[in-house]
Amino acid sequence: VVDELPLLVADDPVEVLLPSEVRLYLVGADDPRLGLYQRLAALAFATPAGAPAADAPLGTPEVARDDPGPTAVPPTEVLRDRVASGSTVMMVAVEDGEPVAIGSHQPVQVDGTEISEVVGVATLPRFRGRGLGAGLTSALVEHARQTADLVFLSAGDDDVARVYERAGFARVATSCVAERPSG
């Protein structure tokens, strides 16, 4: 199976303002809530856009447990090491003391040039439609551009790409991701 995904670059970044009650924070490697942020992302990605906003609060036992369960996120210690080394820069959006959206950028050096990929931007379903993903993406791009010459991302589909285009990204190509059938 080959998925064709829109490839976008930060072309003319737009400052997208978040609602006044939402604050953004850079996540440090020593943040005790790092595992919680990973579970937020797993929960947000498990509920597609347009699905009913029936997510459980992050404090419920099935979401707040120490073991994140069978998800595709790296173990917390691996993520902690990536944040500590600077290979992952993570931001969290917080409302009323609770995380509601998460995202990262991952800077790398390629032939002496720093580039950074925006990854894992996710908003809990009941908080969608308020511009949190776009505002978080805007802040990630602003942070990445402090050192990176190029900021890019690969969108999951055309609808997701349109959200990023509103935040100043431009489509430049299509990336193809091949998956081997299991078995």
Short mmCIF file of all heavy atoms in Angstrom, two decimals, residues 50-106:
data_model
loop_
_atom_site.label_atom_id
_atom_site.label_comp_id
_atom_site.label_asym_id
_atom_site.label_seq_id
_atom_site.Cartn_x
_atom_site.Cartn_y
_atom_site.Cartn_z
N GLY A 50 -13.86 15.57 12.47
CA GLY A 50 -15.26 15.42 12.13
C GLY A 50 -15.99 14.37 12.95
O GLY A 50 -17.20 14.29 12.93
N ALA A 51 -15.23 13.55 13.72
CA ALA A 51 -15.88 12.55 14.57
C ALA A 51 -16.46 13.26 15.79
O ALA A 51 -16.02 14.34 16.16
CB ALA A 51 -14.85 11.50 15.00
N PRO A 52 -17.44 12.64 16.44
CA PRO A 52 -18.02 13.27 17.63
C PRO A 52 -16.96 13.51 18.70
O PRO A 52 -16.04 12.72 18.88
CB PRO A 52 -19.04 12.25 18.13
CG PRO A 52 -19.23 11.27 17.03
CD PRO A 52 -18.05 11.38 16.11
N ALA A 53 -17.11 14.60 19.41
CA ALA A 53 -16.15 14.98 20.44
C ALA A 53 -16.47 14.26 21.73
O ALA A 53 -16.89 14.84 22.71
CB ALA A 53 -16.17 16.49 20.64
N ALA A 54 -16.24 12.97 21.75
CA ALA A 54 -16.58 12.17 22.93
C ALA A 54 -15.34 11.67 23.65
O ALA A 54 -15.37 10.62 24.26
CB ALA A 54 -17.43 10.98 22.48
N ASP A 55 -14.25 12.44 23.59
CA ASP A 55 -13.04 11.97 24.26
C ASP A 55 -13.21 12.07 25.76
O ASP A 55 -13.91 12.91 26.29
CB ASP A 55 -11.80 12.73 23.79
CG ASP A 55 -11.92 14.24 23.93
OD1 ASP A 55 -12.89 14.73 24.53
OD2 ASP A 55 -11.05 14.93 23.44
N ALA A 56 -12.55 11.18 26.46
CA ALA A 56 -12.57 11.19 27.92
C ALA A 56 -11.63 12.26 28.43
O ALA A 56 -10.63 12.56 27.79
CB ALA A 56 -12.14 9.81 28.44
N PRO A 57 -11.94 12.84 29.59
CA PRO A 57 -10.96 13.77 30.17
C PRO A 57 -9.64 13.05 30.40
O PRO A 57 -9.63 11.86 30.68
CB PRO A 57 -11.61 14.18 31.49
CG PRO A 57 -13.04 13.81 31.38
CD PRO A 57 -13.12 12.67 30.40
N LEU A 58 -8.55 13.77 30.29
CA LEU A 58 -7.24 13.14 30.44
C LEU A 58 -7.02 12.57 31.84
O LEU A 58 -6.19 11.72 32.03
CB LEU A 58 -6.13 14.15 30.12
CG LEU A 58 -5.99 14.47 28.64
CD1 LEU A 58 -4.98 15.59 28.44
CD2 LEU A 58 -5.59 13.26 27.84
N GLY A 59 -7.77 13.01 32.82
CA GLY A 59 -7.61 12.53 34.18
C GLY A 59 -8.30 11.21 34.45
O GLY A 59 -8.15 10.65 35.53
N THR A 60 -9.08 10.67 33.51
CA THR A 60 -9.78 9.42 33.77
C THR A 60 -8.78 8.28 33.77
O THR A 60 -7.75 8.33 33.12
CB THR A 60 -10.88 9.16 32.72
OG1 THR A 60 -10.26 9.08 31.45
CG2 THR A 60 -11.94 10.23 32.74
N PRO A 61 -9.09 7.21 34.52
CA PRO A 61 -8.12 6.12 34.66
C PRO A 61 -7.64 5.53 33.34
O PRO A 61 -6.48 5.21 33.20
CB PRO A 61 -8.88 5.07 35.49
CG PRO A 61 -9.90 5.86 36.24
CD PRO A 61 -10.27 7.01 35.33
N GLU A 62 -8.52 5.39 32.36
CA GLU A 62 -8.09 4.76 31.11
C GLU A 62 -7.14 5.63 30.31
O GLU A 62 -6.43 5.15 29.44
CB GLU A 62 -9.28 4.34 30.24
CG GLU A 62 -10.13 5.47 29.73
CD GLU A 62 -11.26 5.86 30.68
OE1 GLU A 62 -11.23 5.48 31.86
OE2 GLU A 62 -12.17 6.57 30.23
N VAL A 63 -7.09 6.91 30.58
CA VAL A 63 -6.21 7.80 29.85
C VAL A 63 -5.00 8.21 30.69
O VAL A 63 -3.92 8.40 30.19
CB VAL A 63 -6.97 9.06 29.37
CG1 VAL A 63 -6.05 10.00 28.62
CG2 VAL A 63 -8.12 8.65 28.48
N ALA A 64 -5.17 8.32 32.00
CA ALA A 64 -4.13 8.86 32.85
C ALA A 64 -3.18 7.81 33.41
O ALA A 64 -2.27 8.14 34.14
CB ALA A 64 -4.76 9.64 34.02
N ARG A 65 -3.38 6.56 33.07
CA ARG A 65 -2.50 5.52 33.61
C ARG A 65 -1.05 5.74 33.18
O ARG A 65 -0.79 6.40 32.19
CB ARG A 65 -2.99 4.15 33.18
CG ARG A 65 -2.94 3.98 31.67
CD ARG A 65 -3.52 2.65 31.26
NE ARG A 65 -3.37 2.55 29.82
CZ ARG A 65 -4.32 2.19 29.00
NH1 ARG A 65 -5.50 1.88 29.46
NH2 ARG A 65 -4.10 2.12 27.71
N ASP A 66 -0.12 5.17 33.93
CA ASP A 66 1.30 5.33 33.61
C ASP A 66 1.67 4.64 32.32
O ASP A 66 2.51 5.11 31.58
CB ASP A 66 2.17 4.78 34.75
CG ASP A 66 2.11 5.68 35.97
OD1 ASP A 66 1.88 6.89 35.80
OD2 ASP A 66 2.28 5.15 37.08
N ASP A 67 1.06 3.49 32.02
CA ASP A 67 1.35 2.75 30.79
C ASP A 67 0.44 3.29 29.69
O ASP A 67 -0.78 3.15 29.78
CB ASP A 67 1.09 1.27 31.01
CG ASP A 67 1.22 0.46 29.73
OD1 ASP A 67 1.79 0.98 28.75
OD2 ASP A 67 0.74 -0.69 29.72
N PRO A 68 0.98 3.91 28.64
CA PRO A 68 0.13 4.46 27.60
C PRO A 68 -0.58 3.41 26.76
O PRO A 68 -1.41 3.74 25.95
CB PRO A 68 1.09 5.29 26.74
CG PRO A 68 2.41 4.68 26.97
CD PRO A 68 2.39 4.13 28.36
N GLY A 69 -0.29 2.14 26.98
CA GLY A 69 -0.97 1.10 26.22
C GLY A 69 -0.39 0.95 24.83
O GLY A 69 0.67 1.49 24.51
N PRO A 70 -1.08 0.20 23.98
CA PRO A 70 -0.57 -0.10 22.64
C PRO A 70 -0.77 1.08 21.68
O PRO A 70 -1.72 1.11 20.92
CB PRO A 70 -1.38 -1.31 22.21
CG PRO A 70 -2.68 -1.14 22.94
CD PRO A 70 -2.33 -0.48 24.25
N THR A 71 0.13 2.04 21.75
CA THR A 71 0.06 3.19 20.85
C THR A 71 1.33 3.25 20.04
O THR A 71 2.29 2.56 20.31
CB THR A 71 -0.10 4.50 21.64
OG1 THR A 71 1.08 4.68 22.43
CG2 THR A 71 -1.34 4.50 22.51
N ALA A 72 1.34 4.11 19.04
CA ALA A 72 2.50 4.24 18.17
C ALA A 72 3.45 5.32 18.66
O ALA A 72 4.35 5.71 17.95
CB ALA A 72 2.04 4.55 16.76
N VAL A 73 3.26 5.82 19.88
CA VAL A 73 4.14 6.86 20.39
C VAL A 73 5.36 6.23 21.04
O VAL A 73 5.29 5.12 21.55
CB VAL A 73 3.42 7.78 21.40
CG1 VAL A 73 2.29 8.53 20.73
CG2 VAL A 73 2.90 7.01 22.59
N PRO A 74 6.50 6.93 21.01
CA PRO A 74 7.70 6.36 21.63
C PRO A 74 7.54 6.32 23.14
O PRO A 74 6.80 7.11 23.71
CB PRO A 74 8.81 7.33 21.22
CG PRO A 74 8.10 8.61 20.93
CD PRO A 74 6.74 8.23 20.43
N PRO A 75 8.23 5.39 23.80
CA PRO A 75 8.20 5.39 25.26
C PRO A 75 8.62 6.76 25.79
O PRO A 75 9.41 7.47 25.18
CB PRO A 75 9.22 4.32 25.64
CG PRO A 75 9.34 3.47 24.42
CD PRO A 75 9.08 4.37 23.25
N THR A 76 8.07 7.12 26.94
CA THR A 76 8.32 8.45 27.50
C THR A 76 9.80 8.74 27.65
O THR A 76 10.24 9.86 27.37
CB THR A 76 7.60 8.58 28.85
OG1 THR A 76 6.20 8.34 28.64
CG2 THR A 76 7.78 9.96 29.44
N GLU A 77 10.61 7.77 28.05
CA GLU A 77 12.04 8.03 28.24
C GLU A 77 12.73 8.34 26.92
O GLU A 77 13.66 9.15 26.87
CB GLU A 77 12.72 6.88 28.97
CG GLU A 77 12.33 6.79 30.45
CD GLU A 77 12.46 8.13 31.18
OE1 GLU A 77 13.52 8.79 31.09
OE2 GLU A 77 11.47 8.53 31.83
N VAL A 78 12.30 7.70 25.83
CA VAL A 78 12.88 8.01 24.52
C VAL A 78 12.53 9.45 24.14
O VAL A 78 13.41 10.21 23.71
CB VAL A 78 12.37 7.02 23.44
CG1 VAL A 78 12.79 7.46 22.05
CG2 VAL A 78 12.85 5.61 23.74
N LEU A 79 11.29 9.83 24.34
CA LEU A 79 10.88 11.20 24.04
C LEU A 79 11.61 12.18 24.96
O LEU A 79 12.08 13.23 24.51
CB LEU A 79 9.37 11.36 24.19
CG LEU A 79 8.81 12.75 23.90
CD1 LEU A 79 9.18 13.21 22.49
CD2 LEU A 79 7.31 12.77 24.10
N ARG A 80 11.75 11.83 26.22
CA ARG A 80 12.47 12.69 27.17
C ARG A 80 13.91 12.93 26.68
O ARG A 80 14.40 14.05 26.71
CB ARG A 80 12.46 12.04 28.56
CG ARG A 80 12.87 12.97 29.68
CD ARG A 80 12.68 12.33 31.05
NE ARG A 80 11.35 11.84 31.34
CZ ARG A 80 10.29 12.58 31.65
NH1 ARG A 80 10.42 13.89 31.70
NH2 ARG A 80 9.13 12.04 31.90
N ASP A 81 14.57 11.89 26.20
CA ASP A 81 15.93 12.01 25.67
C ASP A 81 15.96 12.89 24.42
O ASP A 81 16.87 13.69 24.23
CB ASP A 81 16.52 10.63 25.35
CG ASP A 81 16.82 9.81 26.60
OD1 ASP A 81 16.84 10.38 27.72
OD2 ASP A 81 17.02 8.58 26.45
N ARG A 82 14.96 12.73 23.55
CA ARG A 82 14.90 13.55 22.33
C ARG A 82 14.71 15.02 22.67
O ARG A 82 15.32 15.89 22.05
CB ARG A 82 13.80 13.05 21.39
CG ARG A 82 14.10 11.71 20.73
CD ARG A 82 13.04 11.33 19.71
NE ARG A 82 12.89 12.33 18.67
CZ ARG A 82 13.67 12.47 17.60
NH1 ARG A 82 14.68 11.63 17.42
NH2 ARG A 82 13.45 13.42 16.70
N VAL A 83 13.84 15.31 23.63
CA VAL A 83 13.62 16.70 24.05
C VAL A 83 14.90 17.24 24.68
O VAL A 83 15.32 18.37 24.39
CB VAL A 83 12.42 16.81 25.01
CG1 VAL A 83 12.32 18.20 25.62
CG2 VAL A 83 11.12 16.46 24.27
N ALA A 84 15.55 16.47 25.53
CA ALA A 84 16.79 16.91 26.19
C ALA A 84 17.89 17.21 25.18
O ALA A 84 18.65 18.17 25.34
CB ALA A 84 17.26 15.85 27.19
N SER A 85 17.97 16.42 24.11
CA SER A 85 19.03 16.61 23.10
C SER A 85 18.70 17.71 22.10
O SER A 85 19.55 18.10 21.31
CB SER A 85 19.28 15.30 22.35
OG SER A 85 18.19 15.02 21.49
N GLY A 86 17.44 18.17 22.10
CA GLY A 86 17.03 19.18 21.13
C GLY A 86 16.57 18.61 19.80
O GLY A 86 16.23 19.36 18.89
N SER A 87 16.52 17.29 19.67
CA SER A 87 16.07 16.70 18.41
C SER A 87 14.54 16.69 18.31
O SER A 87 14.01 16.42 17.23
CB SER A 87 16.66 15.31 18.20
OG SER A 87 16.31 14.45 19.26
N THR A 88 13.85 16.96 19.40
CA THR A 88 12.41 17.20 19.38
C THR A 88 12.14 18.43 20.23
O THR A 88 12.60 18.51 21.37
CB THR A 88 11.62 16.00 19.95
OG1 THR A 88 11.78 14.89 19.07
CG2 THR A 88 10.13 16.31 20.08
N VAL A 89 11.43 19.39 19.66
CA VAL A 89 10.98 20.58 20.39
C VAL A 89 9.47 20.47 20.46
O VAL A 89 8.80 20.48 19.43
CB VAL A 89 11.41 21.88 19.67
CG1 VAL A 89 10.87 23.09 20.42
CG2 VAL A 89 12.93 21.95 19.53
N MET A 90 8.96 20.34 21.68
CA MET A 90 7.54 20.10 21.88
C MET A 90 6.88 21.30 22.53
O MET A 90 7.45 21.93 23.42
CB MET A 90 7.35 18.85 22.74
CG MET A 90 5.91 18.48 23.01
SD MET A 90 5.80 16.98 24.03
CE MET A 90 6.00 15.75 22.75
N MET A 91 5.65 21.61 22.07
CA MET A 91 4.83 22.65 22.68
C MET A 91 3.49 22.05 23.04
O MET A 91 2.97 21.18 22.33
CB MET A 91 4.61 23.82 21.73
CG MET A 91 5.80 24.69 21.52
SD MET A 91 5.32 26.12 20.50
CE MET A 91 6.92 26.92 20.35
N VAL A 92 2.92 22.55 24.13
CA VAL A 92 1.60 22.12 24.55
C VAL A 92 0.72 23.35 24.75
O VAL A 92 1.19 24.38 25.23
CB VAL A 92 1.68 21.27 25.84
CG1 VAL A 92 2.23 22.05 27.01
CG2 VAL A 92 0.33 20.67 26.20
N ALA A 93 -0.54 23.23 24.32
CA ALA A 93 -1.53 24.28 24.56
C ALA A 93 -2.34 23.86 25.77
O ALA A 93 -2.81 22.72 25.85
CB ALA A 93 -2.44 24.44 23.34
N VAL A 94 -2.49 24.79 26.71
CA VAL A 94 -3.15 24.49 27.98
C VAL A 94 -4.32 25.45 28.17
O VAL A 94 -4.18 26.65 27.96
CB VAL A 94 -2.14 24.63 29.15
CG1 VAL A 94 -2.82 24.44 30.49
CG2 VAL A 94 -1.00 23.63 28.98
N GLU A 95 -5.45 24.89 28.59
CA GLU A 95 -6.62 25.69 28.93
C GLU A 95 -7.12 25.24 30.30
O GLU A 95 -7.29 24.04 30.53
CB GLU A 95 -7.72 25.51 27.88
CG GLU A 95 -8.95 26.37 28.15
CD GLU A 95 -9.99 26.25 27.07
OE1 GLU A 95 -9.70 26.68 25.93
OE2 GLU A 95 -11.08 25.75 27.36
N ASP A 96 -7.33 26.18 31.20
CA ASP A 96 -7.78 25.87 32.57
C ASP A 96 -6.88 24.84 33.23
O ASP A 96 -7.36 23.93 33.92
CB ASP A 96 -9.24 25.39 32.57
CG ASP A 96 -10.21 26.48 32.15
OD1 ASP A 96 -9.93 27.67 32.42
OD2 ASP A 96 -11.24 26.14 31.53
N GLY A 97 -5.58 24.93 32.99
CA GLY A 97 -4.61 24.04 33.62
C GLY A 97 -4.49 22.67 33.00
O GLY A 97 -3.68 21.86 33.45
N GLU A 98 -5.27 22.38 31.97
CA GLU A 98 -5.22 21.06 31.33
C GLU A 98 -4.72 21.15 29.91
O GLU A 98 -5.12 22.04 29.16
CB GLU A 98 -6.61 20.41 31.34
CG GLU A 98 -7.10 20.04 32.72
CD GLU A 98 -6.19 19.05 33.42
OE1 GLU A 98 -5.71 18.09 32.77
OE2 GLU A 98 -5.93 19.24 34.63
N PRO A 99 -3.85 20.22 29.49
CA PRO A 99 -3.39 20.22 28.10
C PRO A 99 -4.52 19.85 27.15
O PRO A 99 -5.29 18.93 27.42
CB PRO A 99 -2.29 19.15 28.10
CG PRO A 99 -2.63 18.24 29.24
CD PRO A 99 -3.32 19.11 30.26
N VAL A 100 -4.62 20.61 26.05
CA VAL A 100 -5.71 20.37 25.08
C VAL A 100 -5.19 20.15 23.66
O VAL A 100 -5.93 19.66 22.81
CB VAL A 100 -6.74 21.53 25.10
CG1 VAL A 100 -7.43 21.60 26.46
CG2 VAL A 100 -6.10 22.86 24.76
N ALA A 101 -3.94 20.52 23.41
CA ALA A 101 -3.34 20.31 22.08
C ALA A 101 -1.83 20.19 22.25
O ALA A 101 -1.25 20.72 23.21
CB ALA A 101 -3.69 21.46 21.14
N ILE A 102 -1.22 19.52 21.32
CA ILE A 102 0.22 19.23 21.40
C ILE A 102 0.80 19.27 19.99
O ILE A 102 0.09 19.04 19.02
CB ILE A 102 0.46 17.84 22.06
CG1 ILE A 102 1.90 17.62 22.43
CG2 ILE A 102 -0.06 16.72 21.20
CD1 ILE A 102 2.27 18.19 23.74
N GLY A 103 2.08 19.55 19.88
CA GLY A 103 2.77 19.50 18.60
C GLY A 103 4.26 19.63 18.81
O GLY A 103 4.71 20.04 19.88
N SER A 104 5.02 19.29 17.79
CA SER A 104 6.48 19.33 17.88
C SER A 104 7.07 19.76 16.55
O SER A 104 6.42 19.71 15.51
CB SER A 104 7.04 17.94 18.21
OG SER A 104 6.52 17.44 19.40
N HIS A 105 8.35 20.15 16.63
CA HIS A 105 9.15 20.23 15.42
C HIS A 105 10.46 19.54 15.71
O HIS A 105 10.89 19.46 16.86
CB HIS A 105 9.30 21.67 14.89
CG HIS A 105 10.19 22.58 15.65
ND1 HIS A 105 11.55 22.66 15.41
CD2 HIS A 105 9.94 23.47 16.65
CE1 HIS A 105 12.08 23.57 16.22
NE2 HIS A 105 11.13 24.07 16.98
N GLN A 106 11.05 18.97 14.66
CA GLN A 106 12.25 18.16 14.82
C GLN A 106 13.36 18.68 13.93
O GLN A 106 13.42 18.37 12.74
CB GLN A 106 11.92 16.69 14.50
CG GLN A 106 10.88 16.14 15.44
CD GLN A 106 10.51 14.70 15.14
OE1 GLN A 106 10.63 14.22 14.02
NE2 GLN A 106 10.04 14.02 16.16
#
